Structures are given as structure tokens and as C-alpha cells.
Amino acid sequence: MAETSEVRSIFVTGIKNAHAMENQALSIIKPQLSRIENYPEVAAKLEQHYRETEGQVRRLEEVLDGLAEDRSALKDMALSLTGSMAALGHTVAGDEILKNSFANFAFENFEIAAYKSLISVGEHGGFSSFTSALSANLEEELAMARWLDDNLKSVTMKFVSLREAGQTAKV
């Protein structure tokens, strides 16, 4: 289908939302990285995904530039703030690593759904020149969600083992 103003509007809004979403992801990951002590495998994966997310933000900025659109600074700021607050909310939990793992898994799946939707709109609206950037972001999110899913049991059992040993299961 050819580009229409309505489909373009939907696509641009979705790209701006994705840009804000990835900035929110950065604000969720950063405080987690500063607090992880007993889970080096989680820290390494979060550091890797933080760098990937920075790349995702750049790809989305390239798409917005290609569409001659500005970023939504207000939306970026608002979602970054809520991401930071959500991450901080888990710091008081005795099982912070588990809460973060659950939240990260949920957020990754939210991002996956957002990119699948955006790719569909892009293909429908004739924005195929931008869908490869969105597909690259989607693949990274799928990989992170798989890693979180594959490692939830081991993170949980490490938490339980630390607690059973009388150690703090500090993130």
C-alpha cells in the first residue's frame, strides 16, 4: 500500500514512542548496573544490552531523520523519569534481583510487541526503507528476552542459595 498521511502519522508516532521507550529502557538498566554485586552474569548481559539499546536509540534517530521528524523530548524525558522511578522502587525489596528480572522480562516483551507492530505499519505504509532498522532492534530485544527467560531459574536459585546460606542476596 502507498503511504497515506494517516499511516505516516501512525508510523511517526510509533517511532517517537519507540525512541522514548528505548530511553526509558536505558533509565531502567542504568540503576540496576550500579547495584549488582552477586550476579556477574546478569551484570554482563545488562551491560551488553545497555550498549545495544544505545544503538537502538541511534537507529530510531536515523529513522526520524529520514522521515524529517523531530524527537519527542518531553515524551523521552517523562518515560526516562518513570523508568528511573520504577528501577528505584525495587531497591527496597529484599528480592530486588528477582523483581528486576521479572520487570526486565516484561519490558523486553513490551518492546518486542512495539517493534512487531511498527514493522507491520512500516510495511503497510510503504516505509520498507526503515523496517530493517526496526528489525535489527527487534532481533536484539528477542535475544534479550530469550536470555532473561533462559536464565530466570538460575538467577532465582542463586538468590535462594545465598539467602539459605545466610548471606545477603544483594543484587
Side-chain angles (χ1 to χ4, degrees), residues 5 9 13-14 17 32 50 53 56-57 64 66 76 78-79 94 130 145 153 162:
S5 63
S9 175
T13 298
N17 288 342
Q32 289 182 41
Y50 189 88
T53 303
Q56 293 169 9
V57 169
L64 287 168
D76 284 352
L79 286 177
F130 301 116
K153 182 176 181 177
L162 288 169

Side-chain angles (χ1 to χ4, degrees), residues 5-66:
S5 63
E6 191 62 33
V7 173
R8 185 181 199 288
S9 175
I10 293 166
F11 189 66
V12 168
T13 298
I15 297 295
K16 288 181 178 184
N17 288 342
H19 187 265
M21 172 184 72
E22 293 304 352
N23 278 304
Q24 181 181 20
L26 291 172
S27 73
I28 290 170
I29 296 170
K30 193 170 191 169
Q32 289 182 41
L33 284 172
S34 69
R35 295 183 47 78
I36 292 178
E37 291 182 11
N38 293 325
Y39 303 85
E41 66 287 352
V42 175
K45 189 62 177 178
L46 284 176
E47 285 176 27
Q48 174 193 341
H49 195 59
Y50 189 88
R51 289 188 304 276
E52 288 173 347
T53 303
E54 289 175 322
Q56 293 169 9
V57 169
R58 283 191 295 279
R59 282 186 207 114
L60 292 166
E61 288 172 351
E62 290 170 6
V63 170
L64 287 168
D65 290 345

Side-chain angles (χ1 to χ4, degrees), residues 9-156:
S9 175
I10 293 166
F11 189 66
V12 168
T13 298
I15 297 295
K16 288 181 178 184
N17 288 342
H19 187 265
M21 172 184 72
E22 293 304 352
N23 278 304
Q24 181 181 20
L26 291 172
S27 73
I28 290 170
I29 296 170
K30 193 170 191 169
Q32 289 182 41
L33 284 172
S34 69
R35 295 183 47 78
I36 292 178
E37 291 182 11
N38 293 325
Y39 303 85
E41 66 287 352
V42 175
K45 189 62 177 178
L46 284 176
E47 285 176 27
Q48 174 193 341
H49 195 59
Y50 189 88
R51 289 188 304 276
E52 288 173 347
T53 303
E54 289 175 322
Q56 293 169 9
V57 169
R58 283 191 295 279
R59 282 186 207 114
L60 292 166
E61 288 172 351
E62 290 170 6
V63 170
L64 287 168
D65 290 345
L67 293 165
E69 293 286 340
D70 294 327
R71 294 148 194 72
S72 178
L74 183 60
K75 190 177 287 184
D76 284 352
M77 183 178 68
L79 286 177
S80 288
L81 179 63
T82 60
S84 296
M85 299 311 292
L88 288 174
H90 293 168
T91 62
V92 297
D95 59 350
E96 179 182 357
I97 189 68
L98 298 181
K99 297 266 189 317
N100 285 344
S101 295
F102 306 158
N104 290 343
F105 185 70
F107 197 78
E108 290 304 318
N109 281 281
F110 178 86
E111 291 174 303
I112 289 165
Y115 283 117
K116 286 181 176 183
S117 176
L118 266 174
I119 291 166
S120 296
V121 173
E123 290 170 349
H124 175 77
F127 300 104
S128 57
S129 61
F130 301 116
T131 56
S132 64
L134 300 174
S135 293
N137 287 8
L138 173 60
E139 288 307 312
E140 290 171 353
E141 302 302 357
L142 285 164
M144 184 62 179
R146 270 191 305 273
W147 187 91
L148 289 163
D149 189 37
D150 291 345
N151 287 275
L152 182 60
K153 182 176 181 177
S154 64
V155 169
T156 300

